[in-house]
């Protein structure tokens, strides 16, 4: 065992810190401060993506030959830490974290050449078309169909919970190409090079926090080229499972959790407990914070073991354990934020939340984001495979550890 | 012992439920919430005609002399229908303060539906206990001068009269303030659960004292308001449980209704247990209050349990609904938001549960 991060890394930390202090525009910083979701405000997020790309830092986890940074796992962790410390908006995961790595692994040379530069450079945004109205946790039952017709497919059906589809210019999706066998067979993975095909309609859904983040996407005889297929026809489930590893794996989520706690602790200094002291000095609050902080620490250790290549990460249920732990910690931090903001979280302030809005919030930045963040975080145990489904997957592996 | 409603109380409850079912379904409610005023004067007038606005006030002050049980009988249906009208703000808080001070002029207007009275009490990130109120009242020759800020004043923006809680000689007093008084600045906003509230700054505002050294009167006022707030939350919890059970029974995944999965079935069972705990505590607390036997610990148990169990039910309802539970379109999240807002008012469950532990 060796816990040393290496002495050279302090220089690296300083270099990262200096760039992150200087490079983001005021609007990008504002987007980070007003973050209420995994999905940052779109425009500023893409602007920031392009700035990071110019620096060569957009995709630290990608292989170097595809534009990755070539950083060690320690360096990547430091980058994530410094990033979160500054409340900068995280880059959107669908392109960089999902379809990009998937194409690197499984795409054709033509697909890589056509799509990777736009993904890496932050010029394209890809929506993820998986869930359907009747296929949520039971994703393999999906019925949006694609019928081969010459060199094309004709798509009919609909997708739902397609995050930021109203901002997307491309889309990757699962379609039904065969009904004759098991439901997992007969699924095909498709890349759509545009989302304005004739017969395609995107409708945003207003969420419980009052913001449109999710969308429905309707397909009415939409003709797309077969060249967008990844893998073989009817082999899309294998492709999707491969991608889920990227979706559920996460890279360095604990710095975000720790930053959340830090903001709670800061606010607790000026919030009365009702028992004669400020919350930060209140033993009950300290006990609750301590329990959460310790749980986050264990998760951080789990993450660090994983990125260091410890065999724990080879467990087939690792992505499910990671997703379950992280999502539930996100929710607990969000509850702690609403606890410290109290009645100041009750005003509905969506106008003040908009980046660039010239509306003074009623209280602090934390008061402003507390409730939308809490509400939005309810989705973390639902999306990317509900935690019920994750626990089913984990349960199947118990007792089979190597 | 008997914790059931009397026939009269049941009729009252049925009539409120019936009125709201007819005039206040979720779509009608949303239209009202999205309107400029955020609540309906028309509904308010009909509440006055139904006698609801005078219900909790003593008969010798022109009210109907309703007690704690009557409050529960009407506030549960309010919660089940996500009422946007300021009943708690103007009747359980503002009106109750005016009544406690014996100010019959304003009370009459409130009961007739001709005036909205708001209670300016909360400060900072919440005022769990009256001893946390920091606003000072300074006596002068012309009257009392108030300086400071009140926040989260329910219906504060549309109030015709403000009843302000402020410190006078280390004790809390109640003061009447005209909302158009010099030195007052009001910032109104919608709340996330579909109500209206305001932050109000006082710069040397002239006020009339209506109650000095109120002692237990403020506690009684807050206790009764807490009962109304909790009844509303329990009404919302009941609606959530019913809707979630329906959804779990009809939503199919893996070829069967999701309610047939044990993990979902057990969550439904936990929701039902939580609801029954909360409702039992609500009804029992109402009986205690009515008998004049409710201690500070009893009230803290009521507020603490309602907030905690309500959060459990709301979060379970959203999780069981999955994606659709995350939408603005379904009422599920709106119920949860009402429960959360009610939890934050007058001290959260975190505060009250700790208080339970501190009281012997």
């Amino acid at each position: 065992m060796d816990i040393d991060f290496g002495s050279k890394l302090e220089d690296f930390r300083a270099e990262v810190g200096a760039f992150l202090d200087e490079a983001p525009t005021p609007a990008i910083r504002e987007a980070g401060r007003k973050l209420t979701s995994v999905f940052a405000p779109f425009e500023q997020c893409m602007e920031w993506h392009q700035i990071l790309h110019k620096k060569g830092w957009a995709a630290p986890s990608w292989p170097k030959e595809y534009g990755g940074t070539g950083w060690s796992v320690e360096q990547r962790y430091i980058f994530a830490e410094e990033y979160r410390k500054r409340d900068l908006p995280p880059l959107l995961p669908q392109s960089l974290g999902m379809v990009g790595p998937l194409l690197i692994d499984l795409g054709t040379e033509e697909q890589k050449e056509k799509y990777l530069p736009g993904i890496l450079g932050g010029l394209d945004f890809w929506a993820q078309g998986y869930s359907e109205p009747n296929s949520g946790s039971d994703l393999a039952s999906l019925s949006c169909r694609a019928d081969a017709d010459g060199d094309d497919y004709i798509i009919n059906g609909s997708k739902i919970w397609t995050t930021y589809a109203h901002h997307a210019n491309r889309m990757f999706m699962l379609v039904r190409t065969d009904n004759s066998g098991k439901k997992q067979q007969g699924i095909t993975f498709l890349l759509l090079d545009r989302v304005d095909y004739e017969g395609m309609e995107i409708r945003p859904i207003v969420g419980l926090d009052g913001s449109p983040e999710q969308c429905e996407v309707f397909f009415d005889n939409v003709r797309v080229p077969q060249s967008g297929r990844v893998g073989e026809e009817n082999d899309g489930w294998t492709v999707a499972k491969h991608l889920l590893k990227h979706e559920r794996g996460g890279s360095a989520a604990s710095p975000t959790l720790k930053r959340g706690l830090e903001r709670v602790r800061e606010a607790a200094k000026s919030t009365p407990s009702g028992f004669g002291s400020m919350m930060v000095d209140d033993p009950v609050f300290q006990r609750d914070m301590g329990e959460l902080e310790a749980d986050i620490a264990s998760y951080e250790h789990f993450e660090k073991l994983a990125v260091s290549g410890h065999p724990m990460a080879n467990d087939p249920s690792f992505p499910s354990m990671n997703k379950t732990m992280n999502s539930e910690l996100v929710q607990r931090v969000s509850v702690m934020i609403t606890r410290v903001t109290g009645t100041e979280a009750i005003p509905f302030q969506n106008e003040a939340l908009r980046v660039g809005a010239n509306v003074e919030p009623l209280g602090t930045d934390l008061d402003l984001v507390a409730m939308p963040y809490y509400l939005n975080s309810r989705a973390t145990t639902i999306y990317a495979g509900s935690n019920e489904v994750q626990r089913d997957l984990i349960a199947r592996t118990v007792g089979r550890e190597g | 012992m008997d914790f059931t409603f009397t026939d009269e109380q049941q009729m009252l409850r049925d009539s409120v439920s019936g009125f709201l079912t007819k005039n206040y379904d979720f779509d009608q409610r949303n239209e009202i919430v999205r309107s400029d005023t955020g609540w309906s004067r028309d509904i308010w007038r009909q509440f006055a005609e139904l006698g609801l606005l005078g219900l909790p006030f003593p008969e010798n002050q022109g009210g109907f002399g309703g007690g704690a049980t009557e409050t529960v009988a009407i506030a549960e249906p309010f919660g089940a229908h996500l009422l946007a009208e300021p009943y708690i703000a103007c009747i359980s808080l503002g009106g109750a303060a005016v009544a406690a001070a014996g100010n019959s002029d304003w009370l009459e207007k409130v009961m007739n539906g001709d005036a909205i009275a708001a209670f300016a009490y909360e400060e900072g990130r919440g005022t769990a206990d009256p001893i946390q109120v920091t606003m000072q009242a300074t006596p002068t020759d012309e009257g009392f001068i108030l300086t400071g800020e009140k926040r989260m004043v329910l219906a504060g923006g549309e109030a015709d009269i403000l009843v302000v809680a402020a410190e006078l000689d280390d004790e809390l007093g109640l003061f009447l303030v005209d909302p158009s008084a010099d030195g007052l600045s009001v910032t109104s906003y919608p709340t996330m659960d579909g109500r209206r509230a305001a932050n109000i700054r006082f710069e040397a505002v002239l006020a009339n004292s209506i109650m000095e050294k109120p002692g237990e009167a403020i506690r009684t006022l807050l206790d009764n308001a807490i009962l109304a707030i909790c009844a509303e939350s329990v009404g919302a919890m009941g609606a959530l449980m019913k809707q979630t059970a329906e959804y779990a029974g009809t939503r199919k995944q893996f070829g069967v209704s999701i309610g047939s999965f044990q993990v979902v079935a057990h969550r439904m069972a936990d929701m039902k247990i939580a609801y029954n705990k909360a409702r039992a505590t609500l009804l029992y607390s109402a009986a205690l209050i009515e008998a004049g036997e409710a201690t500070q610990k009893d009230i803290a148990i009521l507020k603490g349990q309602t907030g905690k169990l309500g959060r459990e039910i709301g979060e379970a309802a959203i999780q069981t609904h999955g994606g659709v539970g995350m939408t603005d379109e379904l009422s599920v999240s709106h119920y949860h938001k009402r429960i959360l807002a009610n939890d934050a008012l007058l001290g959260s469950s975190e505060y009250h549960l700790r208080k339970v532990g501190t009281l012997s």
Side-chain angles (χ1 to χ4, degrees):
Chain A
M1 286 207 232
D2 177 11
I3 200 167
D4 191 12
F5 255 44
S7 57
K8 271 196 198 148
L9 290 181
E10 284 317 303
D11 295 342
F12 176 76
R13 189 185 288 279
E15 182 197 348
V16 167
F19 179 75
L20 296 181
D21 279 340
E22 168 267 322
T25 62
I28 291 167
R29 287 187 194 288
E30 186 184 343
R33 284 198 308 276
K34 292 181 173 176
L35 189 69
T36 60
S37 167
V38 174
F39 308 104
F42 184 75
E43 261 175 60
Q44 296 75 25
C45 190
M46 295 313 282
E47 188 191 347
W48 177 224
H49 185 151
Q50 289 163 16
I51 292 172
L52 280 169
H53 173 60
K54 252 182 230 157
K55 178 77 177 169
W57 288 0
S61 59
W62 282 26
K64 196 160 174 26
E65 63 269 34
Y66 287 101
T69 50
W71 288 340
S72 65
V73 291
E74 291 86 352
Q75 284 174 307
R76 274 150 56 181
Y77 197 85
I78 286 171
F79 179 71
E81 276 184 331
E82 294 301 312
Y83 197 109
R84 286 315 303 151
K85 255 186 221 169
R86 288 161 178 79
D87 293 332
L88 294 167
L91 301 188
L92 296 168
Q94 292 92 328
S95 308
L96 277 176
M98 296 184 201
V99 72
L102 180 84
L103 289 179
I104 291 173
D105 292 349
L106 302 177
T108 63
E109 283 313 312
E110 191 194 336
Q111 287 167 345
K112 288 187 205 181
E113 210 168 294
K114 183 170 177 191
Y115 295 130
L116 287 180
I119 293 172
L120 185 66
L123 303 169
D124 295 330
F125 175 70
W126 290 73
Q128 179 189 24
Y130 273 30
S131 292
E132 295 179 10
N134 293 313
S135 304
S137 289
D138 184 10
L139 180 61
S141 69
L142 62 91
S143 61
C144 181
R145 56 188 281 195
D147 299 306
D149 185 66
D151 291 337
D152 299 330
Y153 284 116
I154 313 278
I155 307 176
N156 279 289
S158 70
K159 294 287 173 184
I160 195 166
W161 319 126
T162 320
T163 308
Y164 277 7
H166 56 316
H167 296 309
N169 63 327
R170 302 193 199 276
M171 181 169 173
F172 60 99
M173 66 186 298
L174 295 174
V175 289
R176 169 78 46 202
T177 38
D178 181 48
N179 266 319
S180 60
K182 273 174 59 183
K183 62 186 177 182
Q184 286 84 357
Q185 294 157 0
I187 292 172
T188 297
F189 192 104
L190 281 185
L191 307 172
L192 266 53
D193 56 353
R194 29 187 275 242
V195 295
D196 55 357
Y197 280 109
E198 203 184 325
M200 226 176 138
E201 193 199 338
I202 295 170
R203 282 186 216 156
I205 300 169
V206 177
L208 77 176
D209 52 5
S211 302
E213 182 173 280
Q214 305 299 319
C215 295
E216 285 180 281
V217 186
F218 299 91
F219 297 86
D220 180 16
N221 286 316
V222 175
R223 179 179 286 274
V224 304
Q226 288 197 14
S227 59
R229 194 180 65 226
V230 179
E232 295 302 310
E233 189 170 279
N234 299 330
D235 200 26
W237 192 247
T238 317
V239 180
K241 278 206 297 195
H242 183 89
L243 189 148
L244 276 181
K245 279 185 203 163
H246 295 291
E247 184 179 1
R248 289 177 190 161
S251 46
S254 47
T256 304
L257 297 165
K258 285 161 74 178
R259 177 65 191 137
L261 273 199
E262 205 175 283
R263 293 180 77 180
V264 170
R265 210 181 275 286
E266 193 56 38
K269 288 180 186 166
S270 57
T271 306
S273 69
F275 292 91
S277 71
M278 290 298 155
M279 253 187 182
V280 76
D281 297 316
D282 184 72
V284 174
F285 178 77
Q286 288 169 344
R287 169 64 174 70
D288 292 348
M289 279 290 276
E291 182 170 332
L292 182 50
E293 194 169 344
D295 249 353
I296 290 172
S298 288
Y299 176 63
E300 180 185 350
H301 306 153
F302 176 81
E303 259 194 342
K304 281 184 170 166
L305 256 66
V307 295
S308 73
H310 190 276
M312 199 183 274
N314 300 334
D315 190 298
S317 70
F318 173 79
S320 295
M321 288 195 285
N322 191 46
K323 193 265 171 173
T324 305
M325 282 191 244
N326 182 34
S327 55
E328 291 173 5
L329 287 169
V330 166
Q331 291 186 343
R332 284 167 62 191
V333 170
S334 77
V335 170
M336 202 55 111
I337 292 173
T338 58
R339 187 166 151 189
V340 78
T341 50
T343 48
E344 288 298 305
I346 300 179
F348 182 70
Q349 303 190 66
N350 264 27
E351 195 45 39
L353 259 183
R354 203 166 47 79
V355 178
N358 221 354
V359 178
E360 195 65 22
L362 294 166
T364 65
D365 281 344
L366 195 66
D367 296 332
L368 177 67
V369 299
M371 190 51 70
Y373 180 60
Y374 164 83
L375 291 169
N376 190 287
S377 297
R378 303 317 307 165
T380 61
T381 51
I382 296 170
Y383 63 46
S386 72
N387 284 24
E388 289 84 346
V389 168
Q390 306 294 348
R391 284 191 164 86
D392 275 346
L393 293 171
I394 297 164
R396 277 181 220 152
T397 69
V398 181
R400 296 188 186 180
E401 294 78 5
Chain B
M1 286 195 284
D2 177 11
F3 300 100
T4 59
F5 294 122
T6 62
D7 288 349
E8 274 192 350
Q9 289 162 344
Q10 188 61 47
M11 272 170 58
L12 173 68
R13 183 183 159 90
D14 291 346
S15 73
V16 171
S17 256
F19 174 81
L20 292 173
T21 302
K22 186 162 164 257
N23 301 294
Y24 216 85
D25 70 22
F26 186 55
D27 290 337
Q28 290 165 319
R29 180 261 184 194
N30 286 346
E31 211 170 294
I32 289 170
V33 168
R34 288 190 200 114
S35 68
D36 286 346
T37 48
W39 56 277
S40 161
R41 294 266 175 192
D42 189 41
I43 295 284
W44 197 246
R45 198 165 42 245
Q46 295 184 67
F47 275 12
E49 283 162 18
L50 289 166
L52 298 181
L53 303 187
L55 183 68
F57 302 117
E59 286 171 20
N60 61 14
Q61 286 185 295
F64 293 97
T69 316
E70 279 76 12
T71 295
V72 170
I74 64 166
E76 275 191 294
F78 288 169
H81 289 268
L82 291 165
L83 195 76
E85 283 63 27
Y87 194 89
I88 284 171
C90 173
I91 305 301
S92 308
L93 289 165
V98 171
N103 190 309
S104 53
D105 290 352
W106 278 111
L107 182 59
E108 197 185 324
K109 285 183 199 161
V110 165
M111 290 192 294
N112 292 338
D114 293 333
I116 297 296
F119 186 51
Y121 168 76
E122 300 268 6
E123 296 177 2
R125 291 196 171 106
T127 306
D129 190 284
I131 58 166
Q132 281 180 266
V133 169
T134 61
M135 180 181 270
Q136 295 291 326
T138 315
T140 67
D141 292 342
E142 294 109 274
F144 291 89
I145 298 290
L146 301 178
T147 297
E149 187 173 27
K150 291 291 178 182
R151 296 175 78 86
M152 188 45 64
V153 181
L154 290 172
E158 51 265 55
D160 300 293
I161 190 72
L162 294 169
V163 187
V164 184
E167 248 195 348
L168 178 64
D169 301 331
D170 291 334
E171 268 204 79
L172 219 50
L174 296 182
F175 299 85
L176 274 191
V177 174
D178 179 349
S180 61
D182 286 343
L184 208 67
S185 47
V186 181
T187 309
S188 312
Y189 46 81
T191 63
M192 53 98 176
D193 64 318
R195 286 182 280 198
R196 296 293 169 113
N199 293 346
I200 306 178
R201 277 211 67 80
F202 296 72
E203 300 282 356
V205 172
L206 198 59
N208 289 324
S209 166
I210 53 169
M211 208 182 209
E212 288 172 42
K213 305 200 185 304
E216 285 306 297
I218 289 243
R219 288 270 177 200
T220 305
L221 189 167
L222 293 175
D223 292 354
N224 286 322
I226 282 175
L227 180 74
I229 288 170
C230 290
E232 198 191 55
S233 288
V234 170
M237 287 151 78
L240 271 179
M241 189 178 68
K242 190 159 169 272
Q243 274 192 25
T244 308
E246 274 170 22
Y247 185 78
T250 50
R251 166 73 175 175
K252 285 204 162 83
Q253 289 285 271
F254 303 101
V256 293
S257 71
I258 61 168
S260 66
F261 293 111
Q262 204 168 34
V263 65
V264 177
H266 284 192
R267 191 188 293 130
M268 293 303 308
D270 287 340
M271 285 175 79
K272 183 161 182 169
I273 291 168
Y275 173 66
N276 279 280
K277 273 203 276 193
R279 185 142 200 267
T281 294
L282 174 71
L283 297 175
Y284 196 91
S285 305
L288 284 172
I289 290 174
E290 210 150 72
E293 290 175 17
T295 62
Q296 281 309 294
K297 186 164 182 150
D298 294 321
I299 300 298
I301 288 170
L302 170 65
K303 188 71 167 57
Q305 288 294 83
T306 307
K308 183 185 135 197
L309 297 166
R311 178 186 291 271
E312 280 174 25
I313 287 177
E315 291 181 350
I318 292 175
Q319 183 71 24
T320 306
H321 277 83
V324 290
M326 292 293 299
T327 63
D328 182 64
E329 194 183 335
L330 243 67
S331 59
V332 174
S333 68
H334 296 269
Y335 284 115
H336 187 45
K337 287 188 270 191
R338 174 58 58 89
I339 289 168
L340 293 177
N342 281 350
D343 180 41
L345 294 171
L346 304 181
S348 71
S349 52
E350 297 292 344
Y351 167 83
H352 284 285
L353 292 176
R354 171 148 181 223
K355 192 171 161 192
V356 173
T358 63
L359 297 169
S360 58

